[in-house]
Amino acid sequence: MLARDLLGRILFYRTPDGLLAGRIVETEAYTGEADPASHAYRGRTARNAVMFGPAGHAYVYFTYGIHHCLNVVADRPSQAGAVLLRALEPLAGVDLMRSRGDRGPEARLLSGPGKIGRAFGLTLQDNGRDFTRGPLGIAAGAPVTDRQVAVSRRIGISRAEERPYRFAVIGSRSVSRR
């Protein structure tokens, strides 16, 4: 499952203000039209159209009127699926991340999907970006062994939360919730 395989990889964004990077330590899978918690559950819309495209692209959505959340499209074209990036450990650009609003401990700067969006300066303009080309990408990083991974139910949603689709690196202080 891609959600599991993304752990340990590096999300980076080359911005005009500098390089931002973080190690992916928490993800959550959404399996498209078969998943009541997925934005694709009721079919294709203008908002979720990227989810129905090729894998390896960014699906960015705006939620609660304040947060931009980043997903990795994870299925075949016309078959929606995505992985929400829930938490990262900061690696590069910490001062720039802090300048965008979070003054807490460094380990908590990217400890939630909304924090990632704010710290990386994501907007709806980033929706559809190809992670293999351009300024926003995912690098190999270091593999995470199965013994280092916790699997649990999803959080922060009201439907199908019982599914074991949340993956986190055990011991990371950047995981959004224990």
Side-chain angles (χ1 to χ4, degrees):
M1 177 175 266
L2 181 65
R4 158 60 182 97
D5 293 342
L6 283 169
L7 295 178
R9 298 192 186 278
I10 309 301
L11 176 72
F12 64 87
Y13 199 5
R14 291 183 192 96
T15 74
D17 298 320
L19 175 68
L20 301 166
R23 178 177 177 247
I24 300 170
V25 295
E26 184 183 0
T27 61
E28 214 166 64
Y30 291 86
T31 57
E33 293 176 283
D35 184 350
S38 173
H39 290 172
Y41 181 62
R42 290 190 167 81
R44 186 182 183 126
T45 66
R47 178 187 190 204
N48 69 19
V50 170
M51 287 179 74
F52 290 85
H57 286 74
Y59 168 50
V60 177
Y61 64 89
F62 192 57
T63 187
Y64 302 120
I66 53 173
H67 298 298
H68 287 91
C69 297
L70 176 62
N71 294 257
V72 178
V73 175
D75 218 324
R76 299 179 306 280
S78 78
Q79 191 73 30
V83 175
L84 174 65
L85 300 184
R86 288 200 53 84
L88 312 173
E89 291 174 348
L91 296 175
V94 170
D95 290 339
L96 179 54
M97 292 176 195
R98 286 192 188 286
S99 75
R100 293 181 169 158
D102 198 327
R103 305 278 186 243
E106 185 172 312
R108 306 303 296 162
L109 284 176
L110 304 171
S111 63
K115 288 182 172 190
I116 294 169
R118 180 177 58 242
F120 274 62
L122 298 174
T123 69
L124 294 178
Q125 299 286 336
D126 297 303
N127 190 38
R129 284 194 188 269
D130 184 340
F131 283 112
T132 66
R133 295 185 181 99
L136 182 63
I138 297 174
V144 176
T145 67
D146 287 340
R147 289 192 337 233
Q148 296 173 291
V149 176
V151 180
S152 68
R153 57 189 281 155
R154 297 183 290 196
I155 59 174
I157 57 174
S158 59
R159 291 178 288 194
E161 68 274 2
E162 73 286 348
R163 295 184 184 183
Y165 290 171
R166 179 176 170 234
F167 300 84
V169 174
I170 295 169
S172 173
R173 294 181 19 224
S174 296
V175 170
S176 64
R177 286 194 220 162
R178 307 258 174 236

